[in-house]
Amino acid sequence: MTLAVLRIGFVPLLDMAPIVIAHEMGFAAAEGLAFDLRRAPSWSSLRDLLLWGQVDAAHMLAPLPVAMALGLGGAVERLDILQVLSLNGDVIGVSQALSDRLRATGHDFGFADAACAARDLALAANGVLRIGVPFPFSTHVELVRYWLRDADLEFALNTIPPPRMAEALAAGEIDAFCVGEPWGSVAVEQGAGTLLLPSRAIWAVAPEKVLAARHDWVCENPSLTGRLMRAIWRAARWLCLPENRAIASEILARSEYVNAPAELLDRALRGEMVISPQGELRRVPDMIRFFDGAASFPWRSQAAWFADQMAARHGFDRSLSLAAAKAICRTDLYRMNLRSAGADLPGASEKLEGSLLHPTAVASEQGEMILTPDVFFDGQIFDSGQKFG
């Protein structure tokens, strides 16, 4: 059988795992696809590869298609969010000098209390805090801004590609960072920094990466789109099984993929994080999630949350911004293409973000599904159906 070749772009991070696993473990081939995986050195270069048609689909920062839908960043092409690749998986880290000052304030690096971490960081900071982030339109930026918005702290965001984050911290270019694994753990292994928080401590189900494609390509290739989505979904299901984590880590560690120690990738998959050069261990349930709890469903309300943050910051009409963000979340294609694969589908395409304090059963096509807690650290609830004006 001749396989249809799809060019898929990625940046080397743990959260591109569903794409690699679909390729390596035969889920793509089972759909009649062959992935031509193309590694990009930065998010700007990957965005451009997608916009210029050099790749057909990409591992993409969740807020980037939203920003483009709002007209930010200079790109006018519409990108569709086909499904979510990962929830969580980022870490916030600080330099060793800042870590020492935090410990002097009494901070215990408990790795769970975002409000406490923000207060103590404000006490320990010495002038403007330089925070490294991978791209201006990213979950990292939105979470850091949301987390520190009420802190008595002045900070500046510096864009640094993920594989360079540890190097930048060690060189004194930045004082702190928010980056996807394994690059935070690399900073710890190299003795350059200490991890302060996992991203899930700020928002328990922050969508981190999505599978994105140009809207015109999706419209012109409905069959390929469906086959791609099913292959990625089945790979995510495989990844959620604990017995597969070691295999996944070894595959992802290869030089053509993440090019980082398998042990660091395995730690994040297990949620057992070494946060300091002294070997302090913190266990983080749901450090990164690919499948369980409707993790791959492209909730319109999650995209709307990103749009709401951006609209407020840039002075955009909030109602129009939220509508634009919701339009690119292809819940219609998710339902149509993944129903046949056996995916359970939620009864709604939006929810109240931040409202679930405990695992909660909600209506689904197969009866009911369990959604995991989705709380924000400050207890806020976001209603994407709220009227503005």
Side-chain angles (χ1 to χ4, degrees):
M1 179 179 67
T2 301
L3 302 179
V5 178
L6 287 184
R7 302 162 300 169
I8 312 293
F10 71 92
V11 168
L13 288 154
L14 173 60
D15 50 35
M16 44 86 75
I19 293 172
V20 171
I21 294 303
H23 173 65
E24 292 283 351
M25 301 304 293
F27 298 110
E31 288 287 340
L33 301 175
F35 287 176
D36 175 7
L37 298 182
R38 302 192 178 187
R39 174 173 169 157
S42 68
W43 289 111
S44 58
S45 61
L46 179 55
R47 175 201 58 193
D48 292 345
L49 287 173
L50 187 57
L51 292 177
W52 295 339
Q54 300 302 301
V55 296
D56 303 306
H59 160 239
M60 187 60 66
L61 296 155
L64 182 50
V66 175
M68 292 172 64
L70 271 57
L72 293 169
V76 296
E77 188 80 36
R78 168 173 162 171
L79 298 184
D80 283 349
I81 295 174
L82 301 177
Q83 62 207 84
V84 175
L85 291 176
S86 64
L87 300 177
N88 308 324
D90 297 332
V91 289
I92 292 169
V94 297
S95 68
Q96 285 306 99
L98 185 50
S99 171
D100 291 343
R101 295 201 298 272
L102 276 162
R103 293 185 192 277
T105 71
H107 189 74
D108 64 359
F109 284 86
F111 211 56
D113 190 335
C116 173
R119 289 193 300 269
D120 290 349
L121 193 59
L123 292 174
N126 184 12
V128 177
L129 192 70
R130 301 164 299 163
I131 304 176
V133 293
F135 197 66
F137 306 116
S138 63
T139 305
H140 317 82
V141 166
E142 299 308 330
L143 291 182
V144 167
R145 286 188 177 279
Y146 186 78
W147 171 51
L148 297 179
R149 65 181 182 177
D150 295 325
D152 184 17
L153 174 66
E154 187 176 356
F155 62 92
L157 301 179
N158 298 350
T159 300
I160 298 170
R164 276 208 64 243
M165 203 66 78
E167 174 190 338
L169 192 70
E173 297 174 28
I174 52 175
D175 308 299
F177 60 71
C178 182
V179 73
E181 280 293 278
W183 302 113
S185 289
V186 166
V188 172
E189 289 294 303
Q190 294 179 355
T194 294
L195 302 184
L196 180 64
L197 284 176
S199 57
R200 73 173 314 278
I202 300 170
W203 184 10
V205 294
E208 176 52 34
K209 301 302 188 307
V210 297
L211 180 65
R214 295 185 318 280
H215 180 67
D216 60 347
W217 186 90
V218 171
C219 292
E220 293 165 7
N221 296 278
S223 175
L224 287 176
T225 298
R227 290 150 66 186
L228 169 63
M229 293 177 70
R230 285 189 292 273
I232 297 294
W233 182 83
R234 290 189 172 107
R237 182 174 60 182
W238 183 91
L239 277 163
C240 84
L241 301 176
E243 59 267 27
N244 294 333
R245 290 172 185 156
I247 299 171
S249 299
E250 292 294 335
I251 292 172
L252 290 160
R254 296 175 189 168
S255 59
E256 65 266 36
Y257 298 138
V258 182
N259 193 26
E263 179 186 357
L264 302 189
L265 298 166
D266 186 53
R267 285 181 198 166
L269 288 175
R270 288 185 284 114
E272 297 182 0
M273 302 298 294
V274 175
I275 67 160
S276 71
Q278 293 75 38
E280 296 168 278
L281 179 67
R282 301 290 184 267
R283 289 182 170 80
V284 187
D286 275 351
M287 177 64 204
I288 188 167
R289 183 147 51 93
F290 302 104
F291 185 78
D292 293 335
S296 64
F297 188 75
W299 294 98
R300 294 174 184 168
S301 47
Q302 292 180 340
W305 185 83
F306 289 129
D308 189 52
Q309 305 304 304
M310 295 179 198
R313 197 157 61 242
H314 293 278
F316 295 165
D317 181 282
R318 297 175 77 185
S319 295
L320 293 177
S321 297
L322 268 59
K326 293 177 185 182
I328 64 170
C329 292
R330 299 306 303 272
T331 57
D332 57 332
L333 295 181
Y334 189 98
R335 295 179 188 281
M336 180 176 71
N337 291 318
L338 295 181
R339 183 178 287 113
S340 62
D344 196 6
L345 303 169
S349 294
E350 301 181 36
K351 56 189 176 72
L352 291 175
E353 299 297 334
S355 66
L356 302 180
L357 303 179
H358 310 284
T360 302
V362 299
S364 70
E365 287 195 1
Q366 297 179 17
E368 65 179 25
M369 62 169 49
I370 305 298
L371 298 183
T372 57
D374 65 352
V375 294
F376 293 98
F377 82 100
D378 57 0
Q380 293 294 310
I381 295 175
F382 174 68
D383 181 359
S384 62
Q386 179 183 355
K387 301 296 183 182
F388 302 103

